[in-house]
Amino acid sequence: MKSKNIVQVVMVAFFMLTLSSFKGETKRVSIVQEEQTISAIFDGAEDYGYNFIFTNDDEDESTITFQNVNADILKAFDLKSEALIGTNMKVTYTIVIETEEDEDGFESETEILTITKLEKIKK
């Protein structure tokens, strides 16, 4: 009788593990847009990215946050320090739009901005 209970428990555990491995896969599609360039003022680094302030087409100031920076730029500019805050810069960057579809068919888009070139602008 005891062995019958053990077999049942093992069977239930096996089926639970098998069923849990059939989770829906998420699909991820990335679209890379052309490089863009703006003139902006460095506003500092946060845990989530590097902030720059720029003037948009409507002449309003906006903040743009870059999640990634190419490694060679980080060697040339210490963006983690406060020394560069307030510096005018020419920022060239790419935008990658990642679209994820979950197991229920719902899509969500995420923009990932990466600085590819950075130059100080002299006044």
Side-chain angles (χ1 to χ4, degrees):
M1 192 70 164
K2 200 174 195 182
S3 63
K4 186 176 180 182
N5 288 340
I6 293 173
V7 170
Q8 287 176 339
V9 169
V10 170
M11 294 288 287
V12 169
F14 174 76
F15 287 120
M16 289 178 67
L17 286 172
T18 302
L19 289 175
S20 68
S21 67
F22 286 113
K23 291 181 183 174
E25 261 184 48
T26 59
K27 296 179 187 176
R28 181 174 288 178
V29 177
S30 297
I31 299 172
V32 180
Q33 296 183 347
E34 291 182 24
E35 281 191 332
Q36 299 181 25
T37 302
I38 60 169
S39 295
I41 299 170
F42 182 60
D43 194 39
E46 302 290 339
D47 292 338
Y48 52 84
Y50 303 90
N51 299 318
F52 287 80
I53 298 171
F54 71 103
T55 303
N56 62 24
D57 294 336
D58 297 329
E59 299 299 319
D60 296 324
E61 283 190 349
S62 295
T63 299
I64 185 169
T65 301
F66 298 93
Q67 293 80 14
N68 298 319
V69 179
N70 287 354
D72 57 327
I73 294 170
L74 291 175
K75 289 179 185 174
F77 297 95
D78 185 6
L79 297 177
K80 295 281 185 182
S81 79
E82 294 184 9
L84 292 174
I85 292 176
T87 303
N88 288 317
M89 298 190 161
K90 180 178 174 185
V91 183
T92 304
Y93 63 96
T94 58
I95 301 172
V96 174
I97 300 173
E98 287 190 350
T99 303
E100 282 189 66
E101 183 178 319
D102 65 14
E103 61 273 359
D104 297 323
F106 294 106
E107 290 185 353
S108 63
E109 287 187 354
T110 305
E111 281 189 351
I112 301 170
L113 284 71
T114 301
I115 298 175
T116 57
K117 188 174 179 184
L118 192 62
E119 300 174 41
K120 286 185 181 179
I121 298 174
K122 296 179 182 174
K123 288 185 177 183

